[in-house]
């Protein structure tokens, strides 16, 4: 009896052993823990200036003499000729610009402007993201999709005559690398004869940048 | 298990490819622009009148010239009004209650007689924020009720205009009494003079009738315009917008 029980035990061990050989094998695993961190596309204004930004001491106009660095600028309609155009003999109008705290908005203002008055604004931008970007297009008053140097005359009061004109001529397709840079933009403003007196004439320009490898964006069909 | 992995990978790739096809990252910055325009604003702030009286008692001829409303002889029975001149704000004349017409002045010279100057002045204040240059012009009007302008010209009715400029209100200096004559304010400023905010201009019109009988009971009407033209656009003449092509 004792011998029989011993044989049965041995047989069971062998059977189990043979089963183990049949359903298992040695293994070794490696685990992958993955993450995707996206970059960012960001640009902002960092500095701006106006060609004529010194207000007169006398709002009615300081006589400063022809050629004075304080004198206003004038130009012909259509920005005919070569800048910086001419200086008149008085300091009457002026301009300034201000960048919002988040750098996303630049406010430019002309004060006490009059027909023939010319001023230009320059500003610098910075790529505040991690992805190179290219300047794709601008939207003027939220509408016109411009991808090239452009000239626009604005009839703000809808009287059929343009009140002021703007020339924008910078950097479409230009690539801005992340980090501080020296990318300068500028545009010109010129007040035309039909401009109404004592008025505030407004406009907006949205500058749209796209990741460099997607430039240019397809122009939407009208 | 292997199948599930392949399906997941395929979906990721498909979504990824969709993203590449239909979107790109963009970022906007905005320029907000405002052009604030100034103004030119020339206003009439006072008027002068003149009159010639005859004193009934002394037979003396008494000329008076001063700010309208300050005439000490008016309604004085001792003084007979003989001739008068002056300026006032134009009032509407359309049958309804008259109301002042902005920036419009009516000047009259009434019952003129030879060898006596009569005057009508307008005191202007410049309130514009943009410097201006002054221009003035006057011309006879073809009006059947006033048919004698040619006669006035033929017989040499002397019509003169003068202007004096100050950078302050001159009324205290001029005074309310006898208004000085043509030559008493010093240097005359001419058309083309520059005006700045707060400047004053006294524009005087003077008329003198020669000793010609043919000028009795005659009438001529004229119109005129005084302009402030932005200084940098002044071309030595009046500004007529239709002449400018911008």
């Amino acid at each position: 009896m004792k011998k029989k029980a011993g044989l049965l035990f041995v047989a069971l061990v062998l059977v189990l052993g043979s089963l183990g050989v049949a359903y298992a094998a040695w293994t070794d695993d490696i685990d992958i823990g993955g993450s995707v961190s996206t970059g960012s596309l960001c640009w902002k204004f960092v500095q701006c200036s106006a060609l004529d930004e010194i207000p007169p001491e006398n709002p009615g106009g300081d006589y400063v003499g022809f050629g004075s660095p304080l004198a206003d600028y004038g130009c012909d309609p259509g920005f005919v000729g070569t800048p910086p155009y001419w200086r008149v003999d008085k300091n009457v109008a002026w301009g300034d610009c201000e960048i919002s705290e988040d750098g996303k908005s630049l406010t430019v203002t002309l004060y006490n402007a009059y027909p023939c008055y010319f001023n230009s604004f320059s500003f610098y931008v910075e790529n505040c993201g991690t992805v190179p970007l290219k300047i794709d297009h601008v939207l003027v008053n939220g509408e016109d999709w411009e991808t090239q140097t452009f000239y626009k005359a604005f009839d703000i009061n809808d009287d059929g005559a343009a009140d002021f004109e703007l020339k924008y001529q910078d950097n479409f397709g230009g690539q801005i690398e992340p980090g501080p840079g020296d990318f300068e933009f500028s545009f010109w403003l010129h007040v035309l004869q039909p401009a109404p007196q004592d008025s505030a004439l407004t406009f907006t320009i949205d500058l749209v940048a796209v990741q460099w490898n997607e430039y240019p964006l397809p122009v939407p069909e009208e | 298990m292997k199948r599930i992995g392949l399906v997941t990978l395929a979906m990721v790739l498909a979504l990824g490819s969709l993203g590449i096809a239909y979107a790109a990252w963009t970022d906007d910055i905005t320029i907000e622009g405002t052009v604030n325009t100034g103004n030119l604003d020339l206003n009439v702030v006072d008027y002068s009148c003149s009159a010639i009286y005859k004193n009934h008692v002394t037979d003396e001829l008494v000329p008076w010239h001063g700010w309208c409303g300050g005439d000490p002889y008016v309604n004085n029975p001792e003084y007979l009004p003989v001739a008068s001149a002056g300026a006032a704000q134009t009032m509407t004349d359309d049958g309804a209650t008259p109301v002042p017409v902005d920036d419009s002045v009516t000047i009259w010279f009434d019952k003129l007689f030879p060898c006596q100057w009569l005057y009508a002045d307008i005191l202007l204040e410049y309130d514009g924020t943009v410097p201006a240059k002054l221009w003035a012009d006057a011309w006879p009007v073809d009006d059947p009720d006033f048919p004698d302008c040619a006669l006035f010209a033929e017989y040499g009715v002397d019509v003169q205009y003068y202007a004096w400029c100050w950078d302050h209100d001159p009324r205290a200096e001029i005074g309310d009494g006898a208004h000085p004559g043509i030559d008493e304010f010093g240097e005359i400023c001419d058309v083309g003079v520059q005006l700045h905010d707060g400047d004053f201009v006294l524009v005087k019109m003077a008329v003198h009738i020669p000793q010609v009988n043919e000028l009795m009971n005659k009438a001529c009407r004229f119109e005129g315009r005084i302009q402030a033209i932005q200084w940098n656009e002044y071309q030595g003449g009046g500004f007529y917008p239709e002449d400018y092509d911008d």
Side-chain angles (χ1 to χ4, degrees):
Chain A
M1 183 63 185
K2 206 171 187 179
K3 194 177 176 183
K4 243 182 180 175
L7 285 171
L8 185 59
F9 181 72
V10 171
L12 275 165
V13 168
L14 289 172
V15 168
L16 287 172
S18 68
L19 282 173
V21 170
Y23 291 100
W26 285 359
T27 63
D28 188 20
D29 300 347
I30 56 173
D31 295 325
I32 298 173
S35 70
V36 177
S37 296
T38 59
S40 65
L41 193 74
C42 166
W43 66 329
K44 64 180 182 180
F45 297 104
V46 290
Q47 197 269 335
C48 67
S49 64
L51 177 66
D52 171 18
E53 54 189 2
I54 301 174
E57 292 178 14
N58 166 18
D62 294 341
Y63 180 79
V64 294
F66 286 101
S68 162
L70 298 175
D72 290 350
Y73 286 88
C75 77
D76 283 329
F79 302 104
V80 175
T82 307
Y85 305 121
W86 63 81
R87 301 194 94 129
V88 295
D89 59 337
K90 290 180 181 295
N91 182 11
V92 175
W94 72 102
D96 69 17
C97 57
E98 187 177 357
I99 296 171
S100 63
E101 203 166 315
D102 63 3
K104 304 300 283 185
S105 176
L106 169 68
T107 301
V108 302
T109 308
L110 295 186
Y111 300 96
N112 202 30
Y114 53 88
C116 191
Y117 179 68
F118 169 89
N119 207 337
S120 74
F121 291 91
S122 302
F123 55 92
Y124 288 87
V125 297
E126 176 182 301
N127 185 335
C128 44
T130 60
V131 179
L133 58 83
K134 285 192 173 186
I135 302 139
D136 186 77
H137 65 275
V138 302
L139 297 172
V140 181
N141 287 341
E143 291 177 352
D144 306 313
W145 182 292
E146 302 287 355
T147 58
Q148 302 292 328
T149 293
F150 67 88
Y151 162 89
K152 288 222 173 292
F154 294 83
D155 176 15
I156 300 295
N157 56 357
D158 285 329
D159 65 352
D163 303 313
F164 66 93
E165 57 187 354
L166 179 150
K167 190 169 185 180
Y168 184 98
Q169 50 187 4
D170 277 308
N171 296 328
F172 287 106
Q175 182 165 319
I176 306 176
E177 307 296 344
D182 57 357
F183 236 80
E184 186 193 16
F185 296 69
S186 69
F187 63 92
W188 301 342
L189 285 174
H190 177 225
V191 182
L192 298 170
Q193 294 291 344
Q197 298 186 32
D198 277 333
S199 299
L201 314 171
T202 61
F203 64 93
T204 63
I205 301 174
D206 292 312
L207 294 83
V208 182
V210 64
Q211 59 187 91
W212 92 104
N213 57 323
E214 297 292 344
Y215 173 84
L217 288 172
V219 179
E221 293 180 12
E222 294 189 5
Chain B
M1 189 70 179
K2 193 174 176 186
R3 253 193 172 164
I4 291 172
L6 284 172
V7 170
T8 304
L9 183 60
M11 284 181 70
V12 168
L13 289 174
L15 288 171
S17 69
L18 281 173
I20 288 169
Y22 291 105
W25 284 358
T26 63
D27 190 30
D28 301 1
I29 54 178
T30 303
I31 299 170
E32 305 276 354
T34 303
V35 177
N36 291 301
T37 56
N39 72 344
L40 280 83
D41 190 13
L42 189 61
N43 297 301
V44 184
V45 294
D46 220 330
Y47 309 88
S48 88
C49 293
S50 60
I52 294 174
Y53 294 93
K54 176 179 176 291
N55 185 309
H56 283 305
V57 179
T58 63
D59 247 7
E60 182 186 13
L61 185 145
V62 181
W64 176 83
H65 184 202
W67 300 117
C68 294
D71 186 345
Y73 306 107
V74 69
N75 298 326
N76 184 334
E78 254 187 52
Y79 292 90
L80 171 72
V82 180
S84 68
Q89 185 167 22
T90 304
M91 306 295 283
T92 55
D93 185 21
D94 56 2
T97 305
V99 294
V101 179
D102 192 32
D103 284 339
S104 179
V105 174
T106 298
I107 292 177
W108 69 89
F109 287 83
D110 193 28
K111 297 191 178 76
L112 298 190
F113 61 96
C115 290
Q116 289 298 319
W117 284 97
L118 280 169
Y119 311 106
D121 300 348
I122 309 167
L123 184 63
L124 305 166
E125 181 180 8
Y126 187 67
D127 264 336
T129 63
V130 175
K133 290 201 175 189
L134 186 71
W135 174 254
D137 198 5
W139 54 90
V141 175
D142 189 10
D143 184 334
D145 292 333
F146 298 83
D148 304 314
C149 290
L151 203 64
F152 278 33
E154 180 183 347
Y155 287 104
V157 172
D158 196 355
V159 181
Q160 297 188 17
Y161 303 90
Y162 299 88
W164 291 264
C165 298
W166 293 266
D167 61 2
H168 59 276
D169 188 338
R171 278 175 286 191
E173 299 162 26
I174 294 172
D176 295 328
H179 211 206
I182 289 176
D183 300 322
E184 300 185 25
F185 289 141
E187 193 174 346
I188 288 172
C189 61
D190 206 346
V191 292
V193 67
Q194 290 207 25
L195 301 176
H196 297 97
D197 189 18
D199 284 352
F200 284 74
V201 182
L202 182 73
V203 177
K204 180 187 292 290
M205 183 178 178
V207 179
H208 180 268
I209 300 289
Q211 292 278 10
V212 178
N213 282 343
E214 284 78 358
L215 289 175
M216 277 195 276
N217 283 325
K218 302 301 180 189
C220 169
R221 192 164 78 83
F222 66 93
E223 289 179 352
R225 176 183 290 169
I226 299 173
Q227 286 187 317
I229 302 168
Q230 67 180 92
W231 96 103
N232 60 319
E233 298 289 346
Y234 181 71
Q235 297 175 2
F239 179 84
Y240 303 96
E242 61 272 19
D243 294 340
Y244 282 71
D245 175 21
D246 93 304

